[in-house]
Amino acid sequence: MKRTGISGMKFATTMRGKFGALTAVAVLMVMPTYGDHDAAAKNLTEAAPATAANARVGAIFKGDLDGGHFCTASVVHSSGRDLIVTAAHCLPADESEGGKAVFVPAYRDGAAPYGSWPVESVYADDSWNEDGDQDSDVAFAVLGPGTDGGKKVEDAVGAAQLFAGRATGQAVTITGYPGDAEEPQVCTNTSVAYGDTQQRIDCPDFPGGTSGSPWVVEGGAVAGVIGGYEFGGDDPDVSYSIVFGQHTKSLYKLAEAAGDPKPAAATSTAVSPQPAAAGESVTPDQLLTQSQSQSQSQTPTQATNRPITCACVLP
């Protein structure tokens, strides 16, 4: 839990429902690059420039800007245009849902240039919720209307795709908010494998508060978030992430279905398209074609028009 920036913050490893049985696959959308940084400047941490690309990364605050920021998140594309990704240990249900936490993209020096968005619901895997499994330390959060005229967060700052597979051996840029800093920090280095399910990167000075910082690969896709092993690592110079795979894609799809506007109602049988190869994006047309030819026995939870107050999914 070192990777959070507010000391004494409580973390729950239960609640937010039954996800383990659901196997729907996520639609991965190609979106513009973000995380501007010179990839040649490896293993060097510096202040991130205030660019439109970096605006898609933001700080998570407790309640409002007066509550202090304690984690980092980034905007990922969704049909509801209202989704962020972060570490699961950043947003336990009792400390986040229903506006208890807010996301502030491009936060800098006490200012919220695009406004702020309340966290309405949080989605994490059962293996995290029930057991605190460090191989499942990723979460998606649906945001409510922003303070700047009710705008959706993706309409305000844009979004990124997800990268399915290992980022190891590639140049990765991480951008995050240390708990004691008022501007984001950025570093680029080569990611390496850490066991079968995790990856690590050497970047100095990524202490508490940088949990949830996106790992951005060439082309702008998010291939991980600081978290996983020891909640992102107990050394500020070494950071970890889980490898995004089928469970992450399924979790993304579940969170996207809760967004607004709601997608069409699901059929009575869930589909299980063939996953893309590691690092490969799946287009909506490909997903549709695969879905029409395959099915399985699991039944997904159907979206409703009721406000989401709990990310509970019944088996």
Side-chain angles (χ1 to χ4, degrees), residues 138-158:
V138 62
F140 294 91
V142 177
L143 304 179
T147 57
D148 185 11
K151 188 179 295 185
K152 298 292 186 70
V153 68
E154 188 172 333
D155 294 330
V157 299

Side-chain angles (χ1 to χ4, degrees), residues 231-244:
F231 303 98
D234 60 0
D235 183 341
D237 297 337
V238 182
S239 298
Y240 298 84
S241 170
I242 69 166
V243 174
F244 285 176

Side-chain angles (χ1 to χ4, degrees), residues 5 45 69 72 176-185 205-210 213:
T45 299
H69 59 88
T72 302
Y177 287 83
D180 59 356
E182 290 299 287
E183 61 182 3
Q185 304 296 302
D205 302 322
F206 272 79
T210 57
S213 299

Side-chain angles (χ1 to χ4, degrees), residues 2 105 156 214:
K2 178 184 180 301

Side-chain angles (χ1 to χ4, degrees), residues 53-65:
N54 283 334
R56 297 163 194 167
V57 180
I60 302 177
F61 285 76
K62 190 172 184 178
D64 54 35
L65 268 64

